[in-house]
Every structure is written in C-alpha cells, then in structure tokens.
Amino acid sequence: MKLLHLDSSILGENSVSRAVSAAIVGNLTKADPSLEVSYHDLAAEALPHLTLDVLGNPDGTPELAEFLAADVIVIGAGMYNFTIPSQLKAWLDRVLVAGKTFQYTAEGPKGLAGGKKVYVALSRGGYYGEGQPGAAVEHAESYLRAVLGFIGITDPVFVLAEGIAIGPEVREKALADALAEAGALTVPA
Ligand SMILES: Cc1cc2nc3c(=O)[nH]c(=O)nc-3n(C[C@H](O)[C@H](O)[C@H](O)COP(=O)(O)O)c2cc1C
C-alpha cells in the first residue's frame, strides 16, 4: 500500500501540525512497515496557483497521479486566517478534477476517490468546536470535510490540536494530547 504524506505549515520546526502528521505517519508505518511512503512539503516546495494550462492539460498533473495511486493520505495543516494554508489549496486544486476524482451525474455530483483512508492533523490557534464562539468561522476542518466528501472520501480522521495561540501551557497540552491520539490510531484494513 502507498501512503502519501503532505505538510503545509509555514512554521517549520515550530509547526504543531507537522509534529502531529509525522506522528500519524510514524504510527501507521510502525504498524505496517510495508507501507511505501512519499512525502511533500507543500510550504517548502509550493505549487503555483492553478492556471488554465494546468487545468486543461489532458495528462493531468503529477499531484493528481500521486493522489490516485495512494491508498492512505496524511495531511498536516494549520488554520491560517480561518481556513487551510493556500499551499494546501493549490494541491487540492490539482486533485479535484472532473472525470478523475468526481463527476456530475443526473443525480448530482458523485465522488470517484472513495476507498482511500485520509488522516488530517489540523492545528488551530483558538477553539472552534461545537458550541464554541469560533465555530461559525471554522473554515478549515469544515472545508476539508466538504472537499474530501465531494470526491468520495466521507470518513476522514481528524486529529485536532486546539488553543495553540492561547499560551505555552495550553499549546504543550494540546500537542501532547494530539500526539497521544496519533499514536493510538489503528491501521486501515
Ligand atoms: C499566518 C497565520 C494565520 C493564523 N490564523 C489563525 C486563525 O485564523 N485562527 C486561529 O485560531 N489561529 C490562527 N493562527 C494560529 C495557527 O492556527 C496555529 O499557530 C497553528 O498551530 C498553526 O499550525 P502549524 O503550527 O502547523 O503551522 C494563525 C497562524 C498563522 C501563522
């Protein structure tokens, strides 16, 4: 099985989502050492914005081919300005492709990429869970659930680290909890 690991945080060594996504991959590969891992740092090697040339290329993109070939995808993302990093959006723009990962049918849109297991390590400065004042402006987890669902991935697993900007103690506990959660994940069958 192939595992595609992506990071998109701009914060390098100080990134929480990078630490958590690495822990998820570490746990999955420990449980199944035969997993073939490929890694992309979307912040260090940023994809350009989508253009008509890229969209119209009948051969698709290397990102789409790699996504289609992957069985497991692990995404690290921080919440930036209430949504995902634009580097990750540029990658998604190459993966949501009509006829490849979704199609429109008489019954409406249909996802074609079901069957992949997706894990998202998402880190947020504040609190955006149900009932929190920030919930209405949460456009990172909700957006990722929407786009993944649109292409047929309806059961992504989110490992959240929240309150990272509140202070060092809250950050430390949120990171430790997320790392523990990552370490307890089971390998997809
Ligand atoms: C450019 C930037 C924008 C941010 N915007 C938000 C925001 O809108 N809401 C929030 O709760 N935290 C925000 N934060 C805090 C990050 O969500 C938090 O630091 C998180 O840990 C980022 O993930 P990372 O550490 O993997 O980069 C922002 C941080 C940066 C650097």
Side-chain angles (χ1 to χ4, degrees):
M1 293 213 299
K2 288 183 195 296
L3 185 154
L4 174 60
H5 178 193
L6 304 168
D7 275 321
S8 57
S9 165
I10 61 169
L11 299 184
E13 299 268 294
N14 290 318
S15 161
V16 171
S17 65
R18 283 175 185 268
V20 178
S21 77
I24 296 172
V25 173
N27 184 53
L28 297 180
T29 52
K30 196 168 133 201
D32 181 358
S34 73
L35 276 170
E36 279 173 50
V37 179
S38 51
Y39 176 73
H40 293 289
D41 184 334
L42 298 174
E45 291 173 46
L47 295 162
H49 288 302
L50 186 65
T51 61
L52 187 55
D53 280 353
V54 173
L55 181 66
N57 184 341
D59 297 332
T61 62
E63 292 74 30
L64 176 63
E66 195 175 30
F67 170 80
L68 290 173
D71 304 286
V72 183
I73 296 130
V74 179
I75 299 172
M79 174 188 268
Y80 295 157
N81 301 318
F82 305 105
T83 187
I84 60 168
S86 54
Q87 289 90 340
L88 180 56
K89 174 65 164 56
W91 180 82
L92 285 166
D93 284 340
R94 287 159 171 81
V95 162
L96 270 76
V97 178
K100 301 286 186 190
T101 50
F102 70 90
Q103 68 184 38
Y104 288 108
T105 71
E107 291 79 43
K110 186 179 164 215
L112 303 176
K116 297 183 192 299
K117 193 73 206 158
V118 176
Y119 298 87
V120 182
L122 177 63
S123 176
R124 307 189 281 223
Y127 294 101
Y128 297 85
E130 221 181 307
Q132 300 284 346
V137 289
E138 205 296 324
H139 304 298
E141 179 178 352
S142 59
Y143 173 73
L144 286 171
R145 285 189 186 278
V147 292
L148 292 169
F150 186 73
I151 59 175
I153 298 164
T154 52
D155 59 349
V157 174
F158 278 77
V159 179
L160 299 176
E162 289 205 280
I164 299 306
I166 306 287
E169 280 170 25
V170 178
R171 175 195 163 99
E172 211 166 295
K173 176 157 187 345
L175 176 56
D177 288 350
L179 292 176
E181 201 179 322
L185 287 172
T186 51
V187 185

